[in-house]
Amino acid sequence: MVRRLLERQQAGELATRHVRAVAETVGVSERTVWRWLEQAKTTGRVEAPVRQGYAVSDEVWELLGEAGGNVSELRRRLVAAGGEVPIPSMATLSRVIRRDRRAGRALLTGRECEVSSMLR
């Protein structure tokens, strides 16, 4: 779609109604489509950019277990540790962990050990 819009723009035939139609079809704002056009002109890429999203590494997942499954405590520990990797917002971290838990990713905390030893 961006390719067609870009062709219309280069031919001098692009109108706001074309951008509006694409925005409504794709489900984004008109401003986003204008941004895509600008990026296509600058970079030559006409595909919509792919979003990478945040994923919790195994090390961070283990740290979550050490924090007893407490996402706030996990984020505090990540901030205190610093490092080169950017730390996501609390909302992003919570959303990704919730998504992973719902998908079946197991979270082992120190509490499971205590409970299982009490049951023996």
Side-chain angles (χ1 to χ4, degrees):
M1 285 190 220
V2 174
R3 179 177 283 121
R4 281 192 195 151
L5 291 177
L6 197 55
E7 289 169 358
R8 282 186 179 265
Q9 189 175 43
Q10 290 169 345
E13 301 170 354
L14 182 65
T16 302
R17 63 186 164 90
H18 299 116
V19 172
R20 186 174 298 126
V22 169
E24 289 173 3
T25 302
V26 179
V28 297
S29 70
E30 289 178 42
R31 180 69 192 118
T32 298
V33 177
W34 285 114
R35 221 175 280 124
W36 289 348
L37 275 170
E38 190 59 38
Q39 287 174 351
K41 284 194 302 188
T42 307
T43 65
R45 294 185 58 209
V46 292
E47 307 88 31
V50 177
R51 296 181 68 186
Q52 292 299 324
Y54 180 76
V56 177
S57 67
D58 291 337
E59 294 81 18
V60 172
W61 195 258
E62 189 174 318
L63 189 58
L64 177 63
E66 292 172 11
N70 185 322
V71 181
S72 296
E73 178 60 24
L74 169 66
R75 189 162 193 292
R76 279 192 288 276
R77 290 181 185 192
L78 290 172
V79 169
E84 297 176 19
V85 179
I87 299 165
S89 69
M90 183 65 186
T92 298
L93 197 55
S94 296
R95 184 178 62 252
V96 171
I97 289 171
R98 188 178 325 109
R99 179 195 64 203
D100 286 0
R101 296 284 311 266
R102 287 182 180 157
R105 190 170 185 183
L107 177 64
L108 299 176
T109 64
R111 291 185 220 157
E112 281 89 9
C113 298
E114 294 171 14
V115 171
S116 62
S117 66
M118 291 172 49
L119 295 174
R120 291 183 189 163

